[in-house]
Amino acid sequence: MNAADPQRVVTVARSWLGTPYHDQASLRGVGCDCLGLARGVWREVVGPEQLPIPPYSRDWGETGPREVLAEGARRMMIEAEPAAAGPGALVLFRMKPRAIAKHVGILTCPSSFLHAYERLGVIEEPLTQSWRRRIAFAFLFPQR
C-alpha cells in the first residue's frame, strides 16, 4: 500500500478550516468533530469510507483494554512511527496518562496540526510540546 501525497492531504484538510464543531458529524462547512474531520479528508483523498463508524463517547479520559481508534486505523491506513510522522499524517492523541487515544489531528507541517476542537471548530494550531508528547499513534492516508 502506497501513501497518498502528503501535500494533497494537507490541502484537503485545510479546506475544512472554520467548520463548526459538531459531535459525531462529518460535513465540511456544516459541522464535524475530530474523527469527522479525518473521515472527511479520507473521503476526498482516498474514496468512500470502508467501515461504518459506531457511536462513540467524547470522554478523553476513557480507559480500557483496547485502542479502538488505532485498531480501526491499522485496518485501513499505513502505520508510521509517531516521532517520524510528517505533514499529512493522521495522529492520535492520548489526552490523559493511562487513557486510550481519543483525539485525532492531521499534521500540516513539522510544527502545526489541524483538528476539530469543541467550541472552536476546525482550527490549525502550533504542535507545542504539550501536544507532541500526547501523540500515541501516527498513520498515513493510503493512495486512492
Side-chain angles (χ1 to χ4, degrees):
M1 184 178 343
N2 293 322
D5 174 24
Q7 193 52 53
R8 174 149 168 69
V9 173
V10 170
T11 298
V12 170
R14 283 184 170 144
S15 74
W16 284 71
L17 281 168
T19 296
Y21 182 88
H22 192 282
D23 187 45
Q24 300 192 30
S26 183
L27 292 170
R28 181 177 35 215
V30 177
C32 71
D33 60 10
C34 64
L35 182 58
L37 169 64
R39 292 172 53 211
V41 171
W42 173 280
R43 289 190 302 268
E44 192 163 338
V45 171
V46 182
E49 294 178 74
Q50 299 174 338
L51 301 170
I53 305 296
Y56 48 89
S57 79
R58 296 172 13 169
D59 180 8
W60 281 353
E62 184 178 338
T63 61
R66 293 181 53 217
E67 290 283 357
V68 178
L69 270 177
E71 289 172 12
R74 276 190 193 108
R75 291 174 31 198
M76 303 181 318
M77 300 181 84
I78 303 161
E79 192 160 9
E81 179 60 39
L90 179 82
V91 289
L92 307 184
F93 296 95
R94 183 172 286 120
M95 299 302 287
K96 296 185 178 182
R98 296 185 296 284
I100 60 175
K102 292 280 300 244
H103 190 55
V104 176
I106 297 173
L107 301 179
T108 54
C109 72
S111 60
S112 65
F113 73 110
L114 275 158
H115 63 139
Y117 211 71
E118 196 167 2
R119 292 186 295 273
L120 299 176
V122 178
I123 59 171
E124 184 168 2
E125 69 175 298
L127 185 62
T128 62
Q129 191 56 39
S130 177
W131 279 110
R132 192 177 302 280
R133 75 170 182 262
R134 289 183 171 103
I135 296 174
F137 302 95
F139 298 90
L140 305 177
F141 287 86
Q143 206 170 36
R144 196 180 287 241

